[in-house]
Amino acid sequence: MRRRLLPGEEKEVPPEEEKTKKKHLLTWLLSLFQTSANKYVIVAVLFFLVLASFIWGAIKNRDGSPPTSNKDVQIMGRQSKSKANMGLVVYGTALKQDKTAGLVSEALHAGFRHIATGSVHHLKYNESAVGIGWTTAAKDIGLAREDLFIQTMFVPVGNKDWVEWQYDGIGKQNSIAEQVNSSVHSSLSSLQTSYLDAVLYHNFRNKLDSAEQVLEAWRVLERFVDCGIIRYLGITNCHDIPFLEDLYAKARIKPTILQNRFHANRQFGMPLGPFLKEKQIKSQLFWILNGNGGTLQKGVVKKLAQKFNLTSQTFMYAFLMSLGDTPLIGTTQRHHMNQDMAVEKRFATFGRHAIFNESEHGVNAMQEFSDALGRPNLMSALNKY
């Protein structure tokens, strides 16, 4: 009595029977070629089977499924790397003018990977030179676009930092939506890239544009995020907590970056600390050295820096990074770039407590520096350390 096969179990065929079947199949196929008509039919059938197989394979690979094991994904026949994260420090390109391209290249050679600029309508930036600088350095070093975090700004007409650009004809006659669209496309062209890592809405110093105008521009920027042209959005020169709360509440794509001046007349950003921490908004700080030159020259600061084998300038950067902030660094000297990157690498390796650990020695050093800035309650007010 034959045993009933279990589900999924194949019938076992004796080797002799299998050979006989194959021989008969081969004989039948050869007989089909005895007439020319059959030859053409068979060739045509085989051709369409191969074509159908190829098309089916292509359709299956269009499902957009994320990779399961490799950070790199196969897109359109080439390897596309995962995009860069924000830097622990940023190379700022304001006021570099015709030296911008060379300095951006120099900064990338020194190790910076996050570059900040402003649109072609920003008085203080040379956006197209940033594009030349990063592409030149990338060829020298062997970097891909995805290895860099490139950030720019949208500057609305009427802003005191706004300047006319002869190639786009944008002016007072254009709506905010038209201005944003033109700005993003010109940034893509100037920076020689297919996407922007971040775009910040630029306010002039502490003079905020109306909430309605900012939100109108934000809606257009959100659409660029939706289609993958912009990754993150942010805003500059805003110390008004109700304004930020309102923007955060109404924005569909939440602000990720707040770029502000670090100075006593802005209370060093102390009132903003709890809100930024709660909403996980990254604090980028500029005017760090120029705005606090007096503090850096104090004897107590120089002694503190020497204790940690730092300069007064890198001590300041380390202090801010320990609080979770991101310094914008605009040095034009390669040896200073190297010093700055040496500090950045320590934080990248050991985290926020890389220099000022949680021991009494580290905390006391930060408190002494807060006292030197004239804000003894700085650490507690920021609510970050």
Side-chain angles (χ1 to χ4, degrees):
M1 186 176 180
R2 291 186 179 181
R3 180 175 65 85
R4 180 177 293 178
L5 296 177
L6 297 173
E9 186 178 2
E10 295 183 359
K11 181 180 178 181
E12 199 173 304
V13 181
E16 296 79 9
E17 186 178 338
E18 183 69 25
K19 287 180 182 179
T20 303
K21 283 185 177 181
K22 287 180 180 179
K23 185 177 180 180
H24 289 163
L25 178 61
L26 181 60
T27 302
W28 178 75
L29 288 173
L30 289 172
S31 68
L32 290 177
F33 277 90
Q34 289 178 357
T35 65
S36 59
N38 285 339
K39 291 179 184 178
Y40 293 129
V41 170
I42 292 173
V43 170
V45 169
L46 290 174
F47 173 78
F48 282 112
L49 285 174
V50 171
L51 180 63
S53 176
F54 176 80
I55 293 172
W56 176 244
I59 291 171
K60 285 178 69 179
N61 288 333
R62 290 180 60 193
D63 63 357
S65 300
T68 56
S69 60
N70 197 333
K71 287 185 178 180
D72 292 351
V73 294
Q74 192 76 18
I75 300 177
M76 299 295 285
R78 65 178 178 85
Q79 286 295 106
S80 176
K81 297 175 62 177
S82 55
K83 294 180 174 66
N85 295 322
M86 296 181 198
L88 295 175
V89 296
V90 180
Y91 188 70
T93 61
L95 301 173
K96 304 295 189 291
Q97 307 307 330
D98 59 348
K99 296 180 180 178
T100 300
L103 288 169
V104 167
S105 179
E106 193 76 11
L108 292 175
H109 276 85
F112 284 88
R113 294 294 180 265
H114 187 152
I115 307 294
T117 184
S119 79
V120 293
H121 289 290
H122 199 304
L123 176 66
K124 298 185 176 100
Y125 289 94
N126 187 342
E127 192 178 44
S128 60
V130 172
I132 294 170
W134 87 257
T135 53
T136 300
K139 290 176 184 176
D140 295 341
I141 307 170
L143 295 174
R145 167 64 182 91
E146 295 87 351
D147 294 321
L148 306 178
F149 193 100
I150 300 178
Q151 143 187 338
T152 189
M153 299 177 191
F154 162 68
V155 185
V157 175
N159 186 296
K160 289 189 177 181
D161 278 330
W162 185 89
V163 290
E164 188 177 0
W165 192 51
Q166 59 179 326
Y167 299 108
D168 64 2
I170 291 293
K172 292 180 180 179
Q173 74 279 6
N174 296 102
S175 67
I176 284 293
E178 290 171 333
Q179 293 176 44
V180 173
N181 274 300
S182 178
S183 179
V184 171
H185 285 104
S186 64
S187 289
L188 292 170
S189 177
S190 297
L191 293 168
Q192 303 182 47
T193 180
S194 60
Y195 69 95
L196 303 166
D197 290 291
V199 175
L200 279 53
Y201 184 103
H202 180 59
N203 293 288
F204 179 75
R205 296 188 181 174
N206 206 29
K207 297 180 176 64
L208 292 171
D209 291 333
S210 69
E212 293 75 20
Q213 177 173 303
V214 173
L215 189 60
E216 184 181 353
W218 203 272
R219 294 294 183 225
V220 183
L221 291 168
E222 287 176 328
R223 292 200 288 272
F224 281 104
V225 176
D226 291 337
C227 60
I229 292 176
I230 299 174
R231 296 177 63 202
Y232 302 105
L233 300 180
I235 191 168
T236 74
N237 297 320
C238 181
H239 295 265
D240 188 321
I241 295 178
F243 186 99
L244 284 173
E245 290 175 335
D246 184 64
L247 175 62
Y248 192 91
K250 293 177 179 177
R252 182 171 56 83
I253 306 294
K254 305 300 182 184
T256 306
I257 299 169
L258 174 63
Q259 187 182 108
N260 273 339
R261 185 182 304 262
F262 184 73
H263 192 258
N265 64 14
R266 300 286 187 269
Q267 301 180 65
F268 296 108
M270 288 191 298
L272 295 170
F275 177 78
L276 299 184
K277 181 180 180 181
E278 177 191 350
K279 303 302 182 185
Q280 296 184 320
I281 298 174
K282 199 64 183 176
S283 169
Q284 291 183 358
L285 300 173
F286 65 97
W287 219 46
I288 297 169
L289 303 184
N290 290 342
N292 299 280
T295 298
L296 296 177
Q297 295 303 317
K298 291 181 178 179
V300 62
V301 173
K302 291 181 178 180
K303 288 181 180 178
L304 281 172
Q306 288 173 358
K307 281 183 182 179
F308 290 89
N309 197 27
L310 298 170
T311 65
S312 297
Q313 291 78 11
T314 53
F315 186 95
M316 171 77 93
Y317 294 144
F319 173 81
L320 295 175
M321 292 166 72
S322 295
L323 294 176
D325 296 309
T326 303
L328 269 78
I329 298 172
T331 180
T332 60
Q333 303 298 317
R334 176 59 184 266
H335 68 282
H336 288 156
M337 293 179 183
N338 292 338
Q339 290 172 347
D340 300 334
M341 290 314 301
V343 173
E344 189 272 347
K345 286 176 183 176
R346 289 171 68 177
F347 278 87
T349 304
F350 302 108
R352 279 177 51 188
H353 304 298
I355 293 177
F356 308 110
N357 58 37
E358 295 178 287
S359 68
E360 186 177 348
H361 175 66
V363 173
N364 286 345
M366 294 187 72
Q367 186 59 58
E368 285 185 65
F369 189 71
S370 297
D371 295 342
L373 284 170
R375 290 291 188 277
N377 61 338
L378 178 61
M379 287 167 55
S380 59
L382 287 174
N383 192 28
K384 292 181 180 180
Y385 193 74

